[in-house]
Amino acid sequence: MATRNVRIIMSGVTGRMGYRQHLLRSILAIRDGDGIAMPDGGRLQVEPVLVGRSHDKLADIARAHDVAEFTTDLDTALADESTSVYFDAQATGERKKAILAAIAAGKHVYTEKPIAGSVAEARELAQAARSAGIINGVVHDKLYLPGLLKLKRLIDAGFFGRIMSVRGEFGYWVFTGDVQPAQRPSWNYRTEDGGGIVLDMFCHWNYVLENLFGRVQAVTAKAVTHVPERWDEQGNRYAATADDAAYGIFELEGGVLAQINSSWTVRVDRDELVEFQVDGTTGSAVAGLFGCRIQPAVCTPKPVWDPDLPTDQDFRSQWQQVPDNQEFGNGFRAQWEEFLSDVDAGRPHPYDFRAGVRGLQLVEAGLRSSEEGRRIEMERVDR
Ligand SMILES: NC(=O)c1ccc[n+]([C@@H]2O[C@H](COP(=O)([O-])OP(=O)(O)OC[C@H]3O[C@@H](n4cnc5c(N)ncnc54)[C@H](O)[C@@H]3O)[C@@H](O)[C@H]2O)c1
């Protein structure tokens, strides 16, 4: 069977996500593995065309990874009819105009989240994509984490009975950049540059919740800036204008209550950087990036509250690990393969711009809830 080629314009490949997860771990890994095996027996091979602001940085990446084409001129890449997909991992504030240009050029579009900086902008993108009839997708990487795939297995098997609640803890200490360099880019801490943990993480929580437990119907959140000043990549002090922690309660369709703390100002006392505890009538689970522990109802010990006695139970040891039972590949690559297969087949990608709009609706509702100090019901649109 023949090999087909898909040429992909990739923007933002000098950045953290664009370089490591999308270029190296996804597209180049697919290329070096002879492409994607297709259902008709053929293979779909990928050819990246790198786009960015710095000729020298792109040239270095291209040389290091044997990539034939790069340019600092997006319009030239878009005008090239042999390219059919545009991918965007730029800083969020740069995304909308590039995606609109790509749609106008008739390219299919895959993008990092959030798809834009606001619901209004995201709707504009979703509308433009729909009118142009292009395949569109937004990264839903957390759904492909081994821990969450095991959690999905448990849900599909009916392990939990009726799910009552979900408690999520996400976060770690991001250095302020003065004594030790920060491990995240400084724009993340400036609202004016598209930063903020609500904008960053509520998009993720929206698709995790809607795909595993039910659509979000209402949110109550408090977003705060615990650390008001930080030091940037050049060592200059700047005002951290964006929220660096958010404490949220999400009411889901079907009655599940989810609470998720998101924080760049917390020190980790967990097994993994994100963990979700799910409690159901017939069992509970704690899922992280990789692991997933369970405690079925029939194996649940009976703790008794007694403030006079130190506890003699090792609660952590009372849980059982869910086995892998399969090989879990890189989640970014897995979704790339699905997106490109959808493009090849001419069918919609399930995690599309409308899902991106819903993610931003949750962001805006969360921020509004925090500002106004009240519970916000979600608009029932963009289904
Ligand atoms: N899916 C995930 O888990 C995940 C994780 C982190 C970030 N992201 C998203 O990926 C995108 C990139 O984040 P990152 O952490 O890789 O950022 P980064 O700062 O490391 O990279 C940003 C990229 O955008 C380019 N860029 C273009 N114009 C720019 C401008 N005016 N200012 C700054 N950079 C500009 C940079 O050159 C670079 O290639 C963001 O939209 C972010 O929300 C997703």
Side-chain angles (χ1 to χ4, degrees):
M1 267 290 189
T3 296
R4 315 190 266 285
N5 277 349
V6 53
R7 280 166 53 76
I8 306 164
I9 302 168
M10 299 187 74
S11 192
V13 287
T14 60
R16 257 177 1 129
M17 299 308 294
Y19 179 66
R20 181 138 192 88
Q21 294 304 333
H22 294 286
L23 185 64
L24 261 53
R25 302 275 281 132
S26 298
I27 295 303
L28 295 184
I30 293 171
R31 180 195 69 179
D32 298 341
D34 284 332
I36 306 164
M38 304 305 288
D40 63 3
R43 297 194 78 83
L44 189 63
Q45 182 53 294
V46 292
E47 279 179 31
V49 176
L50 312 183
V51 179
R53 295 173 298 171
S54 162
H55 176 277
D56 291 352
K57 285 187 191 167
L58 292 174
D60 286 348
I61 294 176
R63 196 176 317 110
H65 300 290
D66 200 18
V67 173
E69 285 179 61
F70 66 90
T71 174
T72 54
D73 183 8
L74 175 62
D75 291 338
T76 306
L78 290 176
D80 177 351
E81 293 201 346
S82 70
T83 60
S84 57
V85 172
Y86 172 76
F87 169 69
D88 195 301
Q90 296 187 92
T92 308
E94 301 299 309
R95 183 159 297 140
K96 183 189 144 195
K97 65 175 184 298
I99 290 185
L100 284 176
I103 293 172
K107 310 298 176 194
H108 304 295
V109 180
Y110 185 49
T111 179
E112 257 298 350
K113 45 56 61 181
I115 65 169
S118 68
V119 172
E121 287 184 357
R123 283 209 173 112
E124 198 183 327
L125 296 184
Q127 183 54 47
R130 195 175 312 135
S131 304
I134 55 130
I135 313 295
N136 52 93
V138 55
V139 170
H140 275 43
D141 56 290
K142 307 290 178 269
L143 288 184
Y144 297 78
L145 290 168
L148 292 203
L149 289 170
K150 291 178 204 168
L151 185 55
K152 177 80 167 64
R153 251 192 234 157
L154 296 172
I155 294 169
D156 292 348
F159 166 78
F160 294 104
R162 179 172 55 81
I163 295 177
M164 300 172 289
S165 62
V166 179
R167 269 156 241 254
E169 273 294 336
F170 163 84
Y172 48 95
W173 183 258
V174 176
F175 281 82
T176 46
D178 47 351
V179 179
Q180 296 186 53
Q183 69 272 43
R184 294 182 62 90
S186 59
W187 65 262
N188 283 187
Y189 302 91
R190 292 188 294 266
T191 305
E192 58 277 22
D193 293 333
I197 202 162
V198 172
L199 179 55
D200 193 4
M201 296 313 298
F202 277 30
C203 310
H204 287 297
W205 304 151
N206 188 69
Y207 69 71
V208 167
L209 293 173
E210 74 177 17
N211 284 286
L212 292 177
F213 306 106
R215 289 249 171 127
V216 181
Q217 289 184 319
V219 58
T220 309
K222 182 76 187 161
V224 286
T225 307
H226 285 306
V227 176
E229 63 177 19
R230 290 178 175 269
W231 282 257
D232 68 14
E233 291 77 2
Q234 285 72 44
N236 298 320
R237 185 201 301 239
Y238 66 95
T241 49
D243 42 288
D244 55 21
Y247 307 86
I249 302 175
F250 307 89
E251 296 168 45
L252 310 186
E253 244 172 21
V256 177
L257 266 182
Q259 280 170 272
I260 307 180
N261 294 328
S262 315
S263 178
W264 289 318
T265 54
V266 68
R267 295 183 177 85
V268 180
D269 179 23
R270 279 169 254 132
D271 289 342
E272 308 208 50
L273 296 191
V274 67
E275 281 186 349
F276 296 95
Q277 171 156 346
V278 181
D279 288 301
T281 48
T282 56
S284 295
V286 178
L289 276 80
F290 294 94
C292 183
R293 294 175 270 130
I294 56 168
Q295 188 169 102
V298 288
C299 296
T300 304
K302 194 188 267 181
V304 176
W305 178 261
D306 184 348
D308 295 324
L309 285 180
T311 184
D312 58 359
Q313 296 204 47
D314 177 4
F315 295 114
R316 278 278 168 84
S317 70
Q318 296 162 352
W319 295 70
Q320 191 186 348
Q321 281 290 345
V322 175
D324 286 357
N325 288 354
Q326 68 182 92
E327 270 200 27
F328 296 102
N330 177 284
F332 288 88
R333 175 177 175 173
Q335 195 183 351
W336 261 109
E337 293 192 357
E338 289 173 15
F339 179 77
L340 293 174
S341 300
D342 291 335
V343 166
D344 187 62
R347 64 180 172 234
H349 184 63
Y351 309 131
D352 62 5
F353 282 6
R354 287 175 310 165
V357 172
R358 292 193 297 275
L360 279 155
Q361 284 177 317
L362 188 60
V363 168
E364 290 192 357
L367 290 173
R368 219 172 107 212
S369 168
S370 181
E371 273 161 32
E372 298 177 8
R374 66 187 183 91
R375 171 179 177 273
I376 303 286
E377 287 189 8
M378 304 300 297
E379 266 182 79
R380 293 177 65 85
V381 289
D382 294 309
R383 299 178 73 84

